[in-house]
Structure formats: C-alpha cells, structure tokens
Amino acid sequence: MTTSTTSAPAEVELAIGGMTCASCAARVEKKLNRMDGVTATVNYATEKARVHYAGDVSVPELIATVEATGYTAREPEPVRAEPAPGAEPTDAADELRPLRQRLVTAVVLAVPVIAMAMVPALQFEYWQWLSLTLAAPVVTYAAWPFHRAALTNARHGAATMDTLISVGTSAAFLWSLWALFLGTAGTPGMTHPFELTVARSDGSGNIYLEAAAGVTAFILAGRYFEARSKRKAGAALTALLELGAKDVTVVRGGREERIPVGELAAGDRFLVRPGEKIATDGTVVEGTSAVDASMLTGESVPVEVGVGDGVTGATLNAGGRLVVEATRVGADTQLARMAQLVEDAQNGKAAAQRLADRVSGVFVPVVIALALATLGFWIGNGSGPTAAFTAAVAVLIIACPCALGLATPTALMVGTGRGAQLGILIKGPEVLESTRKVDTVVLDKTGTVTTGRMTLLAVHCADGTEETDVLRLAGALEHSSEHPIARAVAQGALERLGGTLPAPEDFANVPGLGVQGVVDGHAVLVGRERLLSEWAMDLPADLARAKSEAERAGRTAIAVAWDGEARAVLEVADAVKESSPEAVARLRALGLTPILLTGDNQAVAASVAREVGIDPEHVVAEVLPQDKVDVVKRLQGEGRSVAMVGDGVNDAAALAQADLGLAMGTGTDAAIEAGDLTLVRGDLRAAADAIRLARKTLGTIKSNLFWAFAYNVAALPLAAAGLLNPMIAGAAMAFSSVFVVGNSLRLRSFRAAD
C-alpha cells in the first residue's frame, strides 16, 4: 500500500465497500472532498473512487476517512487477463453469495407467513406463533443489511430507502412481539378481524409479521438482481484483455519457441502464421499479409502490411506469414490503453440517483416526525401510553413500503422480460433514467449500420462479357486465396451462381496486387489495376469509369482479366444492413439526432450516411479507436445527452462514456459488457424499440412509486387519529401492491414498431 506523503499531486483509485445506494456514494464523495487538496469522484455502479490528492495527504488517510464515514476502502487489485500462478479463480457470483443466501432465506420463510395472514382458512389455532417463528430470521438475519445501512445513515443525519425499510419492518415486527407477548394476539384461536370499520383500537390483538417479512423479501430480490448487474461493470475490461493472444512463437537464435505472451519483451521477434492473432504491437520485419483489424479499429477494409509497417496486438493475420519485432508490450500496448479508457469512462459516468431514495429522503423524516407528533399528541391528550403508542406505531406500519418494495422490481421484471422477447436486454433500473434525457444517438458504422463484413455488391462487365463467366472464373481463383476481400468475391460468386466453383491451376498470390492462375483453360488475373498493367492490359473506358465511381463511393474496386483482356470490375464493400434506413428514421421520430461515427475514410462514411438518411454534417470519419470516446465527450460538452450504439472492442470505451450505451449482441463481449442495453437481434431497429421500452418502463416505475406512497399517505391521517384497524391497514397495503403489480403488467402489451 502506498504511504508516500509527498507534496506532488498524485492519483489513486480506491475500491469502496458497503454502499447500498447512490446517496452512499455521494456521502463518501462529500467526505473525501472536504479534505485539503483532495478532489474525489465516487461511482456507485463500479464501487470505485478516483481520488486526486496533494499536500500532506496520504492514501492511508484517504482510506481512514472513508472508513470513518461507515464504509470500507482499499486499493483494488489490477485486472488480469489470466489468474496469477497459484491464485484461486474468482467469480463475481461468489461476491453475491451472502446476498443470495439472505434472499433465499427471506423468500422461503416469508411466503408461508404472507399466506397465513392473507388466507383465513390457513389461520389454525396457533398460526400466529408459527408466523413469528418464520418471520424472525427474515427480519433479523435477512434484513440485516438494511438495518446496518439505516444505522450508518442515522449517524450521518441522512435518510434513504434503507432507513424506510428498517424503520417500517422493525416497527411492524416489534409491535407484533408486543401484541403477542403482552397483548391479546397470542391467544389460541386468534384471527385477524375482517370487519371494514373505522374505529379506535388498542392494537393489542393486531400483528403485522407478513408486512415485515414480505417487504424484506421483495426488496432483497430487487437488490440482488441490481447487484448482479452492477458486478458486471468490470467485465468489459476482462473481455478486452482476453481479446489478445495467450501464447506466441518467438524466434531466438534461429529457433522457434512457444512462450506465454506475458513473457514477451520489447525487441523480441515473433512469428505470426495465417489465421493467428498478432501477440503485441510491433513492426513487420519479414513477410507481407493482410491484417483484419476491424474488431479493434472499426475499419472494414483489411490493411495490407509489409516490411517496415506497424501492426497492433490482438488484430488478426488474414494472409501470409509474418515475422514481427515487438515494440510495445504489457500496459503500453494499444489494447491495454483501450482497457484503461473503458475503466476511465466507467468511473467518470455519474450514477443515476435511485428514484426511491429521492422520495424516501423526504418521506422518511416526515413519517418519523408524524409518528413522534402522534405519540406526543395522544399522551398530552390524556389518552394513556398504550393508545398513544398504538397510534404512533400504526403511523410507521402504514408507511411501511410494501408497494414501494414492488414498484421498481416488478416494473423492471416485466419490462426486461418483454424486452428479452423482443431481443432487448436491460441491465438495471439505473439505466432507465438515461433514456429519458437522451437527445443524440451516435451510431458506429461497422457492424452496427453495416453488416461488418466485406460483401460483393456489384459486377461491371465489358462489352461481350457475361456476368456468369466473370463470377465463375474470378470466384474460382479468389476461392483459393485467404485474403478477406478474396473471400467476399468467392462467397458472392457462390451465392449468385448457386453451385460449386471450378478448381484453379497454377494458382499464385502476387503480394500487394492480387492473384493469378488458370481456370477452365483461361489465364486469369484478379486484383488491382496495376496487376493488369504489368501484363500490358488496360481497362476500357466504361470499366475505368465504373472503377472511379466505386472508389469515390468508398468501395474497393477489383479488376478481372483473362486471356489477355480486361473483362470486368467488381465492387466490394461493407454492405449497409437492409433495416438501417428504417432504423434511422425511427430514431429521428423519437426526437434523436443520429450521428455516424467510423474509423473508415470520409468517402465510405459519406456513402453510408447518404444510404441510411444521416445528414452529411453529422458524419464523423477517420476516427482512431481511442478517439471515439473523445467524440462522445465533445458532444456531451456541447450540452447533449448522448446514446451510443456499437458492437466492437473499439466501441467499448465510448459505450461506457455515453449517457446510454446500446451494444449490438452480435458484437464482442467487451462491447456488450460496456453497454447499458444489449440488442440481441443485431438489428439497428431494435435500438429505437429499446429506447421506447426503456422510457415506458421508467414511466411505469415512476407511476408505481407515486401510487405506492399515495395509498399509504392517504391512510396516515387514520393511523394518526388512532382509527386504523387491521382491515384498513391490510386493505391499503394489499390494494397498493395489487395496483403496482397490475400497472407493471401493462408493459407486457408493449409492441415493437412495425
């Protein structure tokens, strides 16, 4: 652990434990920022604090400040692509085991308690004592995180959802204990009175164990699923690091040796065979090839590399054999820097304040003040301590958030369930608030607006040449090549001809130019125009014009010749998805401004933008992977609320930085984990549906929260007046819960746009 007290500015990242809501993060942040020379940002989603400090402040002092606030702090372990030797494998689910155990305990024990309270036929002679036996572990063991958080909040003069849960469940449980042991509720054969009358009661025959156990179970369920989603915040980093090669073949003293990539040092030379990942950043010292960097850079066209060219770790060697000299290894590589960008973006993204905490921050103090005022009023009125205490506790019990515990989980459960049927996965409730504010949507081109793979789009034939002949001869020759563009031509030929291709003879690859060989007795050339020029063949005017137009549109033009004559020009490009123009129109209809973002050149980007209906001024092209996050930041700096749709590793940092990240499910794990919403279908139209569904789910949660409190607030005057009987209390709680569930179920009728 760092112990330096130097006056030079420094930065440290702390892992914060014990936070249960966004207000906890705000409290830790406030305490740290009160220290001289300290600027801190605390992220509830990632459970990390990024702290800039100077002067005489030390890391142990920062940790002590966090601990004095009621939470834990430590310097986190660095993310590893592989476990350290001898280390036990860690699983995020293991961290959730205590919460899961509390949830299972609460559900198993609370269900019979609720059933006995709600179904008179189950109220046998000593049912109330069985209810107490089952409810006690729920209110003590299962609900302990709420009680602990409430005590921490109380020490700092704050009130959150945890305070409301703790006070409500404790009041219901303690009152039930008093009624059972000192009142008349423990009498054999006791049943809840079910007459719907408004009259004073001393409360000695009333128990509320079902409220205490039920609220605990419901809210633990919501907390568990929220925590499980939140634990995935660092998975994008792991996915990024695991993208790289695990082993590498180094060339030392003329011998080839296979070693773990972690042992590779700058200056080492290593071998990359066709189809292998490049182990680290370096410079080609031997061989030529085409490198597929689309997963890392977003560029759809493979990059031709030769001696002296730089290559990037984790990209794929799609062509020939390469020998590369390592220039950067470990944390210095582009892949590692991208992982750091993702982490920085996640830490800098403000966590949404939970709606329930916002309301309960006002509601809890008001209810507690009303309960104390009720107690004081009835004692001062000479009604006696029993009647006064009955009325005061009734105020707390009726305010117990039964429906509140259901408000967010039920809406989220129904909304996410319906979303899953439509190919939309919502990570958690904190995601929903972002959808309401979004006004700009940034669309990554490759794999999102386009298919993400090279496709044969057009065949231009010279006079007297049949398209079927071009496809058969060029496709046969390209079928023997490993180049990504060659594969696109071969696949297109197979699809259009609907059969098999002949086998070429004397096949040869001409590095950097194309391929040549003999097919069905014809000497065939396929590749760049320069390849034909070397054989003294020129493109006729119509083919030269087609080539120029294709290149202006950002497409790759391939010349085809056989028997001494130029016969055709093929157009290959990353094809726009059929659904993309309609998807862009739907996003506009939601009030969003679409912006196209790509690492491809301006011509390609402009062509795609025209095809899908994006304005030319909203095209950002030739953007390096590490700069995509800067584009999102710039838009946010202009006052925009930004949604980002992407699918590649190069999009992960921008997805995390955006106010709302939508990851295409057909993309990489790094992108999916960095996104807030996952579009399983891989159809851009799902982005518009996802935003509509998320907004509708958020609206349902808000209305649930309103009515959850409204029903209880309406009964508060009766409780304060001492007129609350079990039927009124039960009816208010049950009806509010039924209303909330019914309101949430309306989300099942959500339909994707036609």
Side-chain angles (χ1 to χ4, degrees):
M1 183 177 292
T2 305
T3 57
S4 173
T5 58
T6 178
S7 60
E11 178 181 319
V12 68
E13 187 177 73
L14 300 177
I16 309 297
M19 296 190 296
T20 60
C21 61
S23 60
C24 296
R27 189 175 306 123
V28 174
E29 186 174 298
K30 185 177 180 180
K31 280 285 188 181
L32 287 171
N33 284 326
R34 282 180 177 173
M35 300 176 69
D36 292 336
V38 172
T39 303
T41 302
V42 180
N43 190 327
Y44 170 60
T46 59
E47 295 184 325
K48 290 180 180 178
R50 176 149 294 181
V51 187
H52 298 268
Y53 61 98
D56 295 330
V57 178
S58 65
V59 172
E61 288 173 332
L62 295 172
I63 292 175
T65 299
V66 175
E67 291 175 344
T69 312
Y71 305 93
T72 63
R74 60 178 175 82
E75 293 185 75
E77 295 293 327
V79 178
R80 296 176 179 269
E82 299 179 20
E88 290 292 328
T90 58
D91 184 357
D94 292 341
E95 300 178 30
L96 297 176
R97 184 177 293 118
L99 182 56
R100 185 171 60 248
Q101 289 173 341
R102 294 180 194 276
L103 172 61
V104 171
T105 300
V107 171
V108 170
L109 298 181
V111 168
V113 174
I114 296 171
M116 285 186 287
M118 302 299 290
V119 182
L122 298 179
Q123 295 177 5
F124 56 91
E125 189 171 7
Y126 292 101
W127 71 275
Q128 67 271 46
W129 295 103
L130 177 59
S131 290
L132 174 63
T133 304
L134 296 175
V138 177
V139 178
T140 53
Y141 164 71
W144 173 243
F146 305 129
H147 302 318
R148 181 178 55 204
L151 291 173
T152 299
N153 293 333
R155 285 199 299 270
H156 296 88
T160 66
M161 176 72 172
D162 294 306
T163 307
L164 187 58
I165 298 166
S166 179
V167 170
T169 54
S170 298
F173 185 71
L174 293 174
W175 180 260
S176 299
L177 285 180
W178 179 85
L180 285 169
F181 287 99
L182 301 177
T184 60
T187 304
M190 184 278 291
T191 59
H192 276 309
F194 285 96
E195 65 275 5
L196 188 57
T197 58
V198 177
R200 284 191 174 86
S201 166
D202 65 2
S204 62
N206 305 334
I207 61 173
Y208 298 95
L209 294 171
E210 74 283 0
V215 168
T216 300
F218 283 130
I219 298 181
L220 274 175
R223 288 285 173 87
Y224 173 73
F225 292 113
E226 179 185 3
R228 190 173 65 172
S229 174
K230 186 156 62 72
R231 282 286 181 264
K232 293 182 178 180
L237 304 180
T238 303
L240 271 171
L241 294 173
E242 289 182 344
L243 183 72
K246 300 296 184 293
D247 300 303
V248 60
T249 301
V250 294
V251 181
R252 291 172 176 169
R255 294 174 53 252
E256 296 181 4
E257 180 184 353
R258 197 76 176 170
I259 63 171
V261 73
E263 297 179 10
L264 195 64
D268 282 346
R269 295 190 173 190
F270 59 93
L271 176 65
V272 189
R273 297 181 177 87
E276 288 186 341
K277 290 179 181 178
I278 297 174
T280 192
D281 299 357
T283 303
V284 177
V285 294
E286 183 182 322
T288 60
S289 181
V291 174
D292 183 357
S294 59
M295 297 294 279
L296 194 62
T297 67
E299 295 180 16
S300 55
V301 180
V303 180
E304 302 285 347
V305 298
V307 175
D309 292 329
V311 291
T312 305
T315 55
L316 184 68
N317 178 18
R321 177 182 182 275
L322 295 175
V323 176
V324 179
E325 182 175 311
T327 56
R328 290 194 297 260
V329 296
D332 295 329
T333 64
Q334 182 174 335
L335 181 65
R337 290 201 298 268
M338 288 179 66
Q340 186 62 48
L341 278 175
V342 174
E343 185 169 15
D344 290 344
Q346 287 178 336
N347 283 333
K349 186 176 179 181
Q353 176 74 18
R354 289 181 57 207
L355 291 175
D357 278 325
R358 290 177 180 173
V359 181
S360 61
V362 176
F363 186 74
V364 175
V366 169
V367 169
I368 293 175
L370 181 59
L372 293 174
T374 300
L375 179 66
F377 173 80
W378 286 111
I379 290 177
N381 197 38
S383 298
T386 300
F389 192 65
T390 298
V393 173
V395 169
L396 294 175
I397 291 174
I398 196 60
C400 189
C402 294
L404 182 63
L406 291 168
T408 297
T410 55
L412 190 64
M413 181 169 57
V414 178
T416 53
R418 181 58 185 148
Q421 293 175 335
L422 299 174
I424 302 163
L425 303 181
I426 302 174
K427 280 195 173 179
E430 68 280 355
V431 170
L432 303 177
E433 283 190 288
S434 302
T435 64
R436 176 173 51 89
K437 303 174 292 183
V438 165
D439 55 30
T440 301
V441 57
V442 176
L443 305 174
D444 174 64
K445 181 188 75 69
T446 306
T448 302
V449 177
T450 64
T451 60
R453 63 180 184 276
M454 301 301 287
T455 305
L456 178 62
L457 298 182
V459 179
H460 303 279
C461 300
D463 291 339
T465 302
E466 295 294 330
E467 181 176 321
T468 53
D469 292 335
V470 174
L471 292 173
R472 188 181 77 258
L473 298 178
L477 202 58
E478 295 282 53
H479 197 264
S480 298
S481 173
E482 296 177 336
H483 197 287
I485 291 178
R487 289 200 296 266
V489 172
Q491 184 63 32
L494 285 169
E495 291 174 356
R496 298 189 187 197
L497 295 175
T500 58
L501 296 171
E505 300 174 9
D506 299 327
F507 173 84
N509 178 54
V510 184
L513 295 179
V515 292
Q516 62 187 40
V518 177
V519 181
D520 288 346
H522 300 284
V524 183
L525 300 174
V526 182
R528 297 178 185 268
E529 184 180 4
R530 205 174 95 201
L531 177 63
L532 274 64
S533 298
E534 290 186 357
W535 288 82
M537 286 181 274
D538 296 322
L539 292 177
D542 55 342
L543 293 185
R545 187 167 52 252
K547 174 179 177 293
S548 297
E549 291 175 355
E551 291 175 342
R552 275 199 301 272
R555 297 176 176 178
T556 299
I558 304 165
V560 181
W562 66 80
D563 296 343
E565 291 185 29
R567 307 280 184 164
V569 167
L570 309 178
E571 287 187 35
V572 175
D574 182 9
V576 171
K577 294 179 181 177
E578 292 182 4
S579 61
S580 291
E582 182 184 350
V584 170
R586 290 186 185 181
L587 291 169
R588 287 186 185 278
L590 289 172
L592 305 177
T593 300
I595 293 177
L596 186 68
L597 180 66
T598 179
D600 268 338
N601 62 58
Q602 187 67 41
V604 173
S607 174
V608 171
R610 284 194 301 272
E611 193 169 345
V612 300
I614 294 177
D615 299 333
E617 63 269 22
H618 291 150
V619 175
V620 184
E622 300 179 22
V623 179
L624 296 174
Q626 58 268 31
D627 293 336
K628 287 190 175 184
V629 68
D630 293 331
V631 173
V632 174
K633 287 180 179 179
R634 175 173 58 78
L635 292 170
Q636 291 170 328
E638 295 172 358
R640 299 173 184 251
S641 183
V642 181
M644 169 78 187
V645 188
D647 76 325
V649 171
N650 59 304
D651 303 321
L655 286 168
Q657 174 64 38
D659 299 286
L660 178 69
L662 297 94
M664 304 295 282
T666 53
T668 64
D669 290 342
I672 291 171
E673 294 297 350
D676 302 310
L677 298 170
T678 300
L679 312 178
V680 177
R681 299 204 306 263
D683 185 338
L684 187 57
R685 289 175 298 186
D689 292 334
I691 292 175
R692 285 177 50 239
L693 175 61
R695 287 178 176 177
K696 191 172 182 63
T697 304
L698 176 64
T700 301
I701 289 175
K702 286 184 173 181
S703 62
N704 282 351
L705 290 170
F706 171 80
W707 289 109
F709 282 107
Y711 281 110
N712 288 350
V713 169
L716 281 175
L718 290 176
L723 298 175
L724 186 70
N725 66 29
M727 187 58 191
I728 295 290
M733 291 182 183
F735 190 70
S736 62
S737 298
V738 169
F739 183 92
V740 163
V741 173
N743 192 40
S744 298
L745 289 174
R746 292 190 304 126
L747 289 169
R748 295 173 62 184
S749 63
F750 179 87
R751 294 286 183 271
D754 296 326

